[in-house]
């Protein structure tokens, strides 16, 4: 009853092409934004923000980026961790060489550097597809991790081999470094995710997005209507790596505080890939839902025995947690191979018809 | 019959085009002209080289010998997007739509070449980028009206029945406002009503927009009814060319289709 578009007539193409053409959707999004900006930072405590919500926001940003490449342009990539590392190390280098540049600008500059690196490793995509391309992007993963480990210049010859986020302020507010409050970090991550999501949504509903999906669905037909595969794929690699690079920079400067290359190893690439598979390939919303699932469910499972007052030895509960988590992923993919975004859509269709079954 | 656009000068000249795949000679020194505003049918038994011919015309295959002249420009090597830029569009024998996208988006991709704003503008979806998007949307809506597919505008094409998919594919080609439209078996696998609809659209396109059409088709009644001229291929060679009535009585064509007694 509540979710009906009946009576909402569009009188212009602009209204019909709006991001959320239905008023109920607009209301829902407004509510989510109000909660995200106005309620969460004041209600959640330091631990929740720092250990749960900030990593979720950062991974959601990376997942949106990977979904542009894999979900929309159809190019399977296992280099996400590497591109995040490029963003993180580039931010570290730029901000230690030029401490006066606004750190938010440095994040974006590092994104551009990651975009360049991503495009270089995207060149093989012209010739190879699918799993073979994934293996080629794996080269990026191992090469970049090795490079940042091996060449001291990247971590300023720090004997421990780690990069440490130095304290940085923006307009007098401490954003990065040990003294920055979790609330400020949360706001910075949230703004990046919000802006990144809006831009991604705009890209995928315009010419660029259609070219990506055309290449994904039928590359030969796309070529024949005049879409150039190399340019289109490289643009996808560039933009996707930009997102990943910024996410990598944020993960060191807003979340971890210090990191080695291990923080961006192949597991991170897989983790982000799982996020978009579970969330829904080719869906911006799905990227965020998937990131929430992968980052939040393990935390919930860790805390569940305590909440239910069931005493468990820690090591056993850790193993059980992994078993349940793995089982959930399998269940999910059997129940809905198209991911959580599809479930969301089905839910909306059901709601439209409610209380009638069909 | 409605008034037709007067058939004009040579738009496309195929001159001695040959192409082989390994030992198979798919096209052997094929030459013919296509005149502006006409409907030319290419027919022939299976494996005669009809689809290869279309692939050469729109730059997907590069002929090993001979040349193709389009709008007075002679070429041997041409990329597909250059062909698209020059105004050649096509549909495919097996439907090649973008399955994950809606009808509207599929047809919008036909406008991609005409959209100029770069991705930074697109990211904002605002100002010039939005205006551009809406201008092209208006053109696409005309195509949708023309093909009478308003009701499936927002439906993902993967869910559409076969006949409608063929129609959407035609729409995608039309959205590019081509001068030369290549149709590879537009009526294959359709029932009688769907064929009638498709024929009507093809004639209307030719009539209203003056688009030159080259089509491959196996349904002889359709070919004989709608084409101005027919080119017949067999084993990669051109065996006949002329008006439907001339081709119908040509002995080589009859032999190719019915076989020759030895």
């Amino acid at each position: 009853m509540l979710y009906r578009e009946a009576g909402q007539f569009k009188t212009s193409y602009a209204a019909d092409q709006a991001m959320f053409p239905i008023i109920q959707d607009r209301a829902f999004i407004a509510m989510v934004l109000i909660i995200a900006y106005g309620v969460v930072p004041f209600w959640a405590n330091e631990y929740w923000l720092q250990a749960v919500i900030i990593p979720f926001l950062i991974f959601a940003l990376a997942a949106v980026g990977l979904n542009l490449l894999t979900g929309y342009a159809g190019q399977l990539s296992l280099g996400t961790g590497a591109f995040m590392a490029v963003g993180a190390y580039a931010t570290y280098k730029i901000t230690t060489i030029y401490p006066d540049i606004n750190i938010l600008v440095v994040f974006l500059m590092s994104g551009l550097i990651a975009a360049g690196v991503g495009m270089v490793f995207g060149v093989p995509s012209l010739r190879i597809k699918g799993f073979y391309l994934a293996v080629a992007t794996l080269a990026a993963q191992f090469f970049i991790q090795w490079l940042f480990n091996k060449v001291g210049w990247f971590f300023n010859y720090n004997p421990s081999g780690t990069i440490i986020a130095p304290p940085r302020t923006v307009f007098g507010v401490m954003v990065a470094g040990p003294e920055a409050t979790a609330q400020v970090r949360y706001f910075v991550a949230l703004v990046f995710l919000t802006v990144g999501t809006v831009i991604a949504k705009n890209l995928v509903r315009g010419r660029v997005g259609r070219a990506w999906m055309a290449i994904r669905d039928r590359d030969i037909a796309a070529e024949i209507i005049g879409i150039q595969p190399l340019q289109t794929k490289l643009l996808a690699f560039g933009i996707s790596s930009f997102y990943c690079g910024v996410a990598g920079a944020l993960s060191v400067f807003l979340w971890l505080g210090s990191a080695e290359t291990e923080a961006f190893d192949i597991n991170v690439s897989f983790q982000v890939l799982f996020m978009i598979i579970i969330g829904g390939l080719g869906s911006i919303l799905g990227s965020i839902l998937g990131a929430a699932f992968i980052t939040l469910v393990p935390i919930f499972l860790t805390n569940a025995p305590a909440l239910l007052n069931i005493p468990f030895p820690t090591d056993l509960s850790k193993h059980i947690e992994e078993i349940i988590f793995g089982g959930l992923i399998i269940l999910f993919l059997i129940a809905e191979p198209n991911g959580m975004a599809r479930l969301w859509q089905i839910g909306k269709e059901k709601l439209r018809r409610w209380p009638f079954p069909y | 019959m409605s008034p037709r656009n007067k058939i004009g000068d040579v738009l496309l000249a195929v001159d001695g085009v040959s192409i082989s795949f390994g030992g198979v000679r798919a096209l052997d020194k094929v030459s013919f002209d296509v005149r502006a505003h006409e409907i030319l049918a290419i027919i022939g038994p299976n494996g005669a080289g009809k689809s290869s011919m279309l692939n050469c015309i729109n730059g997907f295959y590069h002929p090993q010998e001979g040349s193709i002249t389009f709008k007075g420009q002679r070429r041997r090597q041409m990329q597909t997007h250059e062909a698209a830029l020059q105004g050649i569009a096509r549909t495919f024998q097996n439907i090649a739509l973008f399955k994950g996208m809606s009808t509207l988006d599929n047809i919008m991709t036909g406008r991609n070449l005409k959209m100029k704003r770069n991705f930074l503008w697109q990211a904002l979806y605002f100002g010039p980028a939005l205006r551009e998007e809406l201008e092209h949307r208006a053109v696409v809506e005309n195509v949708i009206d023309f093909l009478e597919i308003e009701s499936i505008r927002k439906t993902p094409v993967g869910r559409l029945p076969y006949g409608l998919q063929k129609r959407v594919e035609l729409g995608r080609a039309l959205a590019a406002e081509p001068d030369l439209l290549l149709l590879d078996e537009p009526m294959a696998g359709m029932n009688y009503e769907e064929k009638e609809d498709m024929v009507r659209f093809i004639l209307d396109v030719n009539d209203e927009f003056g688009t030159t059409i080259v089509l491959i088709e196996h349904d002889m009644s359709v070919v004989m009814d709608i084409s101005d001229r027919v080119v017949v291929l067999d084993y990669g060679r051109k065996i006949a060319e002329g008006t439907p009535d001339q081709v119908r009585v040509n002995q080589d064509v009859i032999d190719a289709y019915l076989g020759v007694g030895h």
Side-chain angles (χ1 to χ4, degrees):
Chain A
M1 288 301 214
L2 293 169
Y3 191 75
R4 292 280 157 83
E5 73 264 39
Q8 298 183 33
F9 300 112
K10 322 276 189 330
T11 51
S12 69
Y13 294 138
D16 191 44
Q17 303 206 157
M19 199 181 293
F20 303 106
I22 301 174
I23 194 161
Q24 286 90 338
D25 282 347
R26 284 201 291 275
F28 177 76
I29 290 295
M31 202 178 70
V32 169
L33 287 177
I34 288 169
I35 291 174
Y37 280 90
V39 178
V40 171
F42 306 105
W43 161 80
N45 60 26
E46 182 93 12
Y47 164 78
W48 270 89
L49 284 178
Q50 190 62 41
V52 180
I53 299 174
I54 291 176
F56 154 64
L57 295 175
I58 291 169
F59 275 112
L61 186 65
V64 168
L66 184 64
N67 217 336
L68 293 180
L69 179 65
T70 303
Y72 284 94
Q75 310 299 308
L76 193 52
S77 162
L78 284 177
T80 316
F83 303 137
M84 288 174 77
V86 171
Y89 278 74
T91 306
Y92 176 69
K93 282 308 288 186
I94 295 173
T95 198
T96 48
I97 296 171
Y98 306 102
D100 294 334
I101 305 180
N102 187 324
I103 189 74
L104 301 182
V105 176
V106 178
F107 288 152
L108 297 179
M109 289 161 70
S110 313
L112 289 179
I113 293 172
V117 174
M119 283 163 87
V120 170
F121 283 99
V123 170
S125 68
L126 187 64
R127 290 274 164 197
I128 46 184
K129 291 173 191 165
F131 291 120
Y132 302 94
L133 179 64
V135 175
T137 55
L138 209 54
Q141 180 66 45
F142 289 121
F143 172 73
I144 286 171
Q145 216 182 327
W146 170 84
L147 184 74
F148 289 164
N149 252 333
K150 200 78 185 167
V151 182
W153 181 80
F154 287 110
F155 46 89
N156 286 356
Y157 305 100
N158 186 339
S160 65
T162 56
I163 55 171
I164 298 162
R168 289 286 179 269
T169 60
V170 175
F171 306 123
V173 181
M174 194 65 86
V175 167
E179 282 157 47
T181 64
Q183 269 181 12
V184 173
R185 294 162 187 241
Y186 169 82
F187 273 119
V188 174
L190 184 62
V191 168
F192 270 98
L193 178 63
T194 315
V195 174
T197 306
V198 170
I199 288 177
K201 191 81 193 161
N202 283 343
L203 282 175
V204 298
R205 64 201 175 117
R207 173 179 64 85
V208 174
R210 286 192 295 268
W212 285 343
M213 290 186 274
I215 289 278
R216 172 194 71 188
D217 287 349
R218 270 295 171 111
D219 49 357
I220 289 172
E223 251 181 88
I224 278 168
I225 58 172
I227 293 166
Q228 286 168 282
L230 182 65
Q231 289 181 4
T232 310
K233 287 177 184 174
L234 286 189
L235 185 66
F237 267 97
I239 293 177
S240 164
S241 305
F242 178 87
Y243 276 81
C244 294
V246 171
L250 296 183
S251 70
V252 171
F253 281 73
L254 301 181
W255 173 37
L256 299 170
S258 70
E260 297 172 41
T261 52
E262 274 71 49
F264 302 105
D265 65 2
I266 181 83
N267 288 326
V268 175
S269 299
F270 278 126
Q271 214 177 356
V272 180
L273 187 63
F274 294 156
M275 286 173 190
I276 65 169
I277 291 174
I278 288 177
L281 289 168
S283 161
I284 301 289
L285 172 76
S287 324
I288 295 169
L289 292 178
F293 184 87
I294 298 269
T295 52
L296 302 185
V297 168
I299 289 164
F300 170 75
L301 289 177
T302 314
N303 293 319
L307 289 174
L308 296 173
N309 265 329
I310 309 170
F312 256 153
T314 348
D315 54 341
L316 181 64
S317 86
K318 186 76 199 157
H319 289 150
I320 288 178
E321 177 197 320
E322 280 174 12
I323 291 169
I324 294 177
F325 187 53
L328 273 178
I329 291 177
I330 294 169
L331 256 183
F332 225 120
L333 291 180
I334 292 172
E336 187 47 70
N338 294 322
M340 298 167 83
R342 179 78 190 119
L343 283 179
W344 176 261
Q345 218 179 341
I346 291 171
K348 284 212 292 194
E349 278 167 24
K350 285 248 156 71
L351 198 59
R352 249 180 100 211
R353 291 191 293 261
W354 188 86
F356 305 106
Y358 52 83
Chain B
M1 202 128 175
S2 55
R4 291 279 305 271
N5 284 287
K6 226 177 129 200
I7 289 172
D9 297 333
V10 173
L11 179 73
L12 175 90
V14 177
D15 186 23
V17 164
S18 300
I19 188 165
S20 315
F21 302 103
V24 180
R25 202 146 173 84
L27 289 173
D28 189 4
K29 298 202 179 68
V30 177
S31 305
F32 61 89
D33 290 342
V34 182
R35 294 173 181 282
H37 313 309
E38 79 173 338
I39 298 180
L40 177 89
I42 301 179
I43 62 171
N46 288 328
K50 305 181 296 294
S51 292
S52 299
M53 192 66 244
L54 290 200
N55 284 340
C56 286
I57 294 174
N58 72 358
F60 189 62
Y61 291 164
H62 297 137
Q64 286 144 350
E65 284 170 41
S67 67
I68 293 172
T69 313
F70 183 60
K71 290 185 187 168
Q73 271 180 293
R74 196 183 139 94
R75 53 160 161 117
R76 279 193 70 175
Q77 297 277 321
M78 179 193 247
Q79 300 305 318
T80 47
H81 81 269
E82 291 167 337
L85 269 177
Q86 286 197 5
I88 302 179
R90 78 172 285 184
T91 65
F92 295 83
Q93 189 172 359
N94 319 311
I95 298 169
L97 286 170
F98 309 126
K99 287 222 159 49
M101 298 159 74
S102 66
T103 300
L104 180 64
D105 279 342
N106 264 282
I107 301 178
M108 282 294 275
T109 55
R111 303 292 301 171
N112 256 26
L113 268 184
K114 301 197 187 293
M115 298 180 79
K116 300 284 178 256
R117 297 288 160 193
N118 67 20
F119 73 94
L120 293 173
W121 273 112
Q122 305 247 323
L124 299 175
Y125 211 84
F126 176 74
L130 181 60
R131 267 203 303 282
E132 184 180 51
E133 185 85 11
L134 296 179
E135 274 166 28
H136 290 285
R137 170 81 190 264
V139 176
V140 166
E141 287 292 341
N142 284 336
V143 173
I144 290 177
D145 275 353
F146 178 80
L147 294 175
E148 299 158 17
I149 46 176
E150 295 91 340
S151 59
I152 55 164
R153 206 185 260 129
K154 298 268 168 95
T155 315
V157 293
R159 284 195 216 161
L160 295 175
Y162 180 83
L164 281 180
Q165 291 197 10
K166 281 269 187 195
R167 214 186 280 189
V168 174
E169 205 187 10
L170 177 64
R172 185 177 68 189
L174 287 181
E177 295 175 288
D179 297 317
L180 176 62
L181 181 59
L182 310 174
L183 304 174
D184 197 344
E185 299 200 19
M187 272 143 296
M190 287 187 167
N191 63 28
Y192 192 74
E193 284 80 9
E194 288 171 329
K195 276 185 190 174
E196 282 197 324
D197 278 342
M198 189 54 95
V199 166
R200 183 162 55 88
F201 292 130
I202 292 172
L203 289 174
D204 281 354
V205 168
N206 180 255
D207 198 27
E208 284 183 28
F209 311 128
T211 311
T212 311
I213 294 170
V214 174
L215 78 138
I216 294 176
E217 185 48 55
H218 281 298
D219 186 326
M220 283 306 137
S221 57
V222 169
V223 169
M224 296 300 163
D225 269 358
I226 69 171
S227 36
D228 296 307
R229 285 189 308 129
V230 179
V231 168
V232 189
L233 298 181
D234 190 24
Y235 293 110
R237 283 173 299 107
K238 186 177 87 173
I239 57 172
E241 179 180 352
T243 62
D245 290 330
Q246 289 167 343
V247 166
R248 204 197 308 260
V249 294
N250 185 306
Q251 191 56 43
D252 288 339
V253 177
I254 295 169
D255 289 348
Y257 270 91
L258 299 180
V260 197
H262 290 288

